[in-house]
Amino acid sequence: MGKEYPFVEDTLGKKLAAGTGLSVYCLTCKRTALLDVAELVKRFGPDQPCLHWDLVKVIFCHECRAAGRDDRNLQFTNHAMTPEQRKGWTPCP
């Protein structure tokens, strides 16, 4: 990915190409999880929007759902990933 301005990561495909990460925090049960962006691209496709209101439609808290609580009370956080965290994946030139 080149130096394109303005830099936009509004889809899972763009997030994967940029090599950044994504985590989710459940505001109800206080659990957190680091999401695998490559796996999300496989499941939902590279054109799946990855802004909060788009992700909350397809991602939920399994613990809260099993307990009958609000399972969409989520907060998403974008992360810069180091090469070690990418598990050997490198962006295309």
Side-chain angles (χ1 to χ4, degrees):
M1 185 163 212
K3 294 181 180 175
E4 298 151 8
Y5 298 98
F7 178 69
V8 179
E9 287 183 344
D10 56 353
T11 65
L12 290 174
K14 289 179 183 177
K15 181 168 267 317
L16 183 63
T20 58
L22 185 66
S23 66
V24 61
Y25 175 73
C26 179
L27 297 165
T28 305
C29 70
K30 312 293 189 241
R31 294 181 190 273
T32 195
L34 185 61
L35 301 175
D36 185 347
V37 177
E39 195 61 38
L40 290 173
V41 169
K42 286 181 193 174
R43 182 177 288 181
F44 300 116
D47 295 329
Q48 166 69 35
C50 66
L51 301 176
H52 175 82
W53 294 110
D54 302 312
L55 290 175
V56 81
K57 294 175 188 174
V58 296
I59 296 175
F60 60 90
C61 177
H62 292 278
E63 297 291 328
C64 288
R65 180 167 282 188
R69 297 185 296 255
D70 180 12
D71 61 358
R72 306 285 178 157
N73 191 17
L74 305 174
Q75 174 183 337
F76 296 94
T77 305
N78 292 305
H79 299 279
M81 303 289 281
T82 65
E84 296 81 29
Q85 292 171 319
R86 291 185 206 142
K87 300 177 189 166
W89 178 87
T90 56
C92 299

